[in-house]
Amino acid sequence: MEGSISSSSTVAVASPSALDRNLKSLLSSDERDFLITPTGTQVKVEELHGMTVGLYFAANWYFQCQNFTPVLASVYEQLKQRDANFEIVFISCDEDQSSFDKYHATMPWLAIPFSDLKTKKSLNDMFQVEGIPCLIILDQHAHTVQTEAVELIYRYGVWAFPFTKERVVELESEEKAKHESQTLENLISIDGRDFVIGHDNEQVPISSLVGKTVGLYFSAQWCPPCVKFTPRLVSIYDTHKQNNEDFEIVFVSCDRDEAGFLECFKPMPWLALPFGDERIKGLSRYFNIQGIPALVIIGPNGKTVTREGRNLINLHMEKAYPFTQDHILFLQKEMDEEAKSFPRSSHHSGHHHMLNLVSAASGGGPFICCECDEQGSGWAYQCIDCGYEVHPKCIREAGKESSSPKNKDRVRDDPFCTCSSGGA
Ligand SMILES: [Zn+2]
Ligand SMILES: [Zn+2]
């Protein structure tokens, strides 16, 4: 059987050289056989021969690129320190030479000169780049091995190298094993750091949290949706503490400086990881936190109950506790029951069309509520033409205070901030 293909005269087998797309044809042009460093020094394309090469499509004017470039730069520096056979080539989507120069100056790698529009366009077309930032990985034979490297870098940092499918399978199975053997202690205690802190900076041992439902609250003072969500979480926390529930929350700060951390922590009646603690990056990556605020719930057995704590609270408020799947299913059934009495359509003061009641099964789905700017799923009031959706509870609450000018001509806020500590 093995020899059947090669022995058949009707099957054309591509020769190795035809398969061997080369870097030179990709990255140089008739007039140019070099790339440039951030200071303008020329580096011959052939010097990249035999390397794993990342083609980085990005632009300085887009915030997703602004967020990702420093994360990628940190991974790049770490790989260079390990002598990894790796290089990155920036393919600019900037608008002019001076924005390109400024942006390239923030990157420790090579670029195709801004003036070579033709090569940039042909690479864009060849790799069908539809959104930026985009990082395409070519192996040492210049074959594409990965088109989703941005996601992998955010998720696994330097461990994603060399970005092949085999590496991803390996990482996923390692991750699965880690999650399966997860306990609160092996999750939060690393290298002898086996404590969190209270408001007087006192150390609280992780062991004292074992057996409780623990929320890991990823948040930051500079993030408006976090500032808005924290009071809601405080009220829910207080309610359950008053009921003597075994519930604790640990603030995992994505703040950029200690002053921000202190200000953010001040109104929180719970514990925290110290500012800048190295465990924060590890936890962000482990739970793949890409937007904040985020609330991960760990059950009394130390296993992850859900990473959707924030959405569950927005949907069910204090009833969401203890966040288990069975409990949430029960709440959903209860809500389906309750929804039978909701009016089929309703007005909302923020919108000029009538809104219709929909469920996940009847044209609804995950949405951002135009009243409270939080995520929703399941039941909603919707104007399908305008993509306008509101939580049923927000319609009711808005109805109570409909004289308030708050809802007039509202612009929806971005419900997430990017947690830039996630990648590096
Ligand atoms: Zn809402
Ligand atoms: Zn409408």
Side-chain angles (χ1 to χ4, degrees):
M1 280 301 286
E2 273 179 18
S4 63
I5 289 181
S6 53
S7 66
S8 158
S9 58
T10 57
V11 177
V13 178
S15 71
S17 63
L19 284 171
D20 194 18
R21 182 168 69 187
N22 71 57
L23 277 178
K24 202 161 178 187
S25 68
L26 285 176
L27 300 179
S28 53
S29 68
D30 293 344
E31 302 81 41
R32 177 183 57 77
D33 63 351
F34 59 87
L35 300 163
I36 52 170
T37 68
T39 51
T41 309
Q42 299 184 359
V43 173
K44 290 263 195 270
V45 172
E46 63 204 33
E47 285 186 32
L48 272 54
H49 193 77
M51 286 185 159
T52 297
V53 174
L55 303 179
Y56 182 41
F57 299 82
N60 77 313
W61 47 262
Y62 190 46
F63 76 97
Q64 302 269 28
C65 298
Q66 293 161 11
N67 287 332
F68 182 66
T69 296
V71 175
L72 182 59
S74 153
V75 166
Y76 176 86
E77 301 287 7
Q78 291 174 66
L79 287 172
K80 285 290 171 192
Q81 277 164 21
R82 295 176 191 193
D83 288 326
N85 203 15
F86 180 54
E87 190 49 73
I88 297 179
V89 179
F90 171 40
I91 295 136
S92 160
C93 310
D94 291 300
E95 277 165 339
D96 52 48
Q97 179 78 46
S98 77
S99 354
F100 165 80
D101 290 341
K102 259 189 236 153
Y103 201 33
H104 191 202
T106 68
M107 303 172 181
W109 48 74
L110 304 169
I112 290 185
F114 181 78
S115 56
D116 188 351
L117 303 176
K118 202 174 138 203
T119 303
K120 288 190 292 177
K121 169 140 190 359
S122 82
L123 288 168
N124 258 293
D125 293 346
M126 178 179 304
F127 293 101
Q128 299 174 321
V129 175
E130 282 174 355
I132 53 171
C134 173
L135 182 64
I136 306 272
I137 305 290
L138 308 177
D139 68 8
Q140 62 269 44
H141 307 294
H143 296 147
T144 309
V145 291
Q146 187 55 253
T147 56
E148 311 278 328
V150 170
E151 166 76 18
L152 291 179
I153 295 261
Y154 269 131
R155 186 116 197 227
Y156 301 111
V158 71
W159 302 107
F161 185 81
F163 310 99
T164 54
K165 288 199 179 68
E166 294 74 21
R167 181 62 186 146
V168 174
V169 168
E170 217 171 86
L171 287 165
E172 281 170 352
S173 74
E174 274 171 24
E175 198 168 58
K176 196 168 159 238
K178 247 200 230 166
H179 280 271
E180 276 164 6
S181 63
Q182 176 185 309
T183 65
L184 193 67
E185 283 170 306
N186 71 20
L187 184 64
I188 315 185
S189 304
I190 292 166
D191 296 335
R193 295 180 74 80
D194 55 358
F195 59 89
V196 290
I197 56 169
H199 281 267
D200 297 322
N201 222 13
E202 77 280 15
Q203 295 189 0
V204 176
I206 306 287
S207 56
S208 69
L209 304 178
V210 170
K212 296 185 176 187
T213 295
V214 176
L216 299 176
Y217 181 41
F218 297 81
S219 182
Q221 188 265 336
W222 51 262
C223 156
C226 294
V227 173
K228 208 166 137 189
F229 184 73
T230 297
R232 191 171 299 176
L233 189 57
V234 169
S235 132
I236 286 161
Y237 177 83
D238 286 343
T239 305
H240 289 290
K241 285 305 237 190
Q242 278 158 21
N243 295 342
N244 291 318
E245 306 276 9
D246 273 337
F247 183 36
E248 196 46 74
I249 295 180
V250 176
F251 169 38
V252 183
S253 161
C254 304
D255 287 291
R256 290 165 183 155
D257 53 47
E258 186 145 24
F261 164 76
L262 291 172
E263 200 180 322
C264 196
F265 189 32
K266 207 193 284 172
M268 300 177 179
W270 48 72
L271 305 165
L273 282 171
F275 172 71
D277 194 289
E278 58 192 275
R279 290 173 287 176
I280 292 174
K281 269 185 191 169
L283 286 170
S284 300
R285 199 152 58 212
Y286 181 72
F287 290 113
N288 195 20
I289 303 295
Q290 289 188 22
I292 53 172
L295 180 67
V296 174
I297 303 292
I298 310 298
N301 63 359
K303 301 281 186 282
T304 307
V305 173
T306 178
R307 296 185 308 172
E308 301 294 321
R310 174 194 181 191
N311 290 340
L312 294 174
I313 282 180
N314 287 326
L315 219 51
H316 304 293
M317 297 304 286
E318 68 282 347
K319 281 158 80 182
Y321 184 88
F323 306 93
T324 55
Q325 210 176 3
D326 286 350
H327 182 65
I328 298 304
L329 278 174
F330 166 78
L331 291 177
Q332 275 164 1
K333 281 200 188 117
E334 199 180 62
M335 206 166 168
D336 290 347
E337 221 24 65
E338 201 190 339
K340 288 180 182 162
S341 66
F342 292 167
R344 297 297 100 183
S345 57
S346 175
H347 267 296
H348 179 246
S349 53
H351 197 65
H352 53 287
H353 295 136
M354 199 68 170
L355 306 179
N356 292 315
L357 183 66
V358 293
S359 71
S362 67
F367 64 94
I368 304 293
C369 174
C370 292
E371 169 66 24
C372 69
D373 299 322
E374 289 289 349
Q375 213 170 332
S377 62
W379 293 97
Y381 281 97
Q382 178 192 64
C383 171
I384 194 152
D385 293 336
C386 304
Y388 191 93
E389 288 176 291
V390 183
H391 290 120
K393 74 172 165 58
C394 289
I395 285 267
R396 290 197 299 273
E397 279 158 23
K400 280 184 223 153
E401 41 172 315
S402 57
S403 58
S404 119
K406 173 177 172 268
N407 302 318
K408 298 282 178 261
D409 302 321
R410 298 193 63 227
V411 176
R412 199 163 71 193
D413 298 332
D414 188 345
F416 286 106
C417 292
T418 302
C419 180
S420 57
S421 69

